[in-house]
């Protein structure tokens, strides 16, 4: 059984934004953007979030824009 698991590997994650057919990520959608931020305020990398490269670039830019306007925090207080 262990040999079977080793050969198969891990299942590839699917981009949630492609599944929802979102063409452009909006910086004002803080609920959606907060899924791609850790509790410490760091942006999740693509290999963990499962985003495609196109959407990961949009998510990163949207998070940075939302931080400048103070919709999302840069870090955790305390």
């Amino acid at each position: 059984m262990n040999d079977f698991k080793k050969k198969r590997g891990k299942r590839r994650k699917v981009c949630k934004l492609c599944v929802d057919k979102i063409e452009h990520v909006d910086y004002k959608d803080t609920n959606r953007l907060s899924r791609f931020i850790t509790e410490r305020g760091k942006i999740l990398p693509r290999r963990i979030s499962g985003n495609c490269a196109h959407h990961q670039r949009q998510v990163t830019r949207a998070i940075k824009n939302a931080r400048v306007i103070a919709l999302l925090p840069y870090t955790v207080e305390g």
Side-chain angles (χ1 to χ4, degrees):
M1 178 129 173
N2 287 337
D3 294 333
F4 179 72
K5 287 184 179 180
K6 287 181 185 177
K7 289 180 183 178
R8 186 164 182 185
K10 291 187 178 182
R11 184 172 176 167
R12 182 158 171 84
K13 293 184 180 179
V14 180
C15 179
K16 296 174 187 174
L17 301 170
C18 287
V19 171
D20 295 340
K21 296 182 180 177
I22 294 176
E23 295 180 15
H24 182 71
V25 181
D26 191 14
Y27 69 92
K28 293 174 276 193
D29 192 1
T30 57
N31 291 331
R32 187 180 307 271
L33 291 177
S34 62
R35 285 193 274 164
F36 302 109
I37 299 177
T38 64
E39 54 274 351
R40 301 215 34 157
K42 295 182 178 182
I43 300 172
L44 288 175
R46 184 174 156 231
R47 67 179 185 273
I48 295 175
S49 66
N51 288 338
C52 63
H54 177 71
H55 281 122
Q56 182 66 27
R57 285 191 292 269
Q58 287 186 2
V59 165
T60 302
R61 180 53 49 202
I63 289 172
K64 290 178 181 180
N65 287 342
R67 285 176 173 170
V68 169
I69 303 173
L71 297 176
L72 291 175
Y74 281 99
T75 59
V76 177
E77 296 179 21

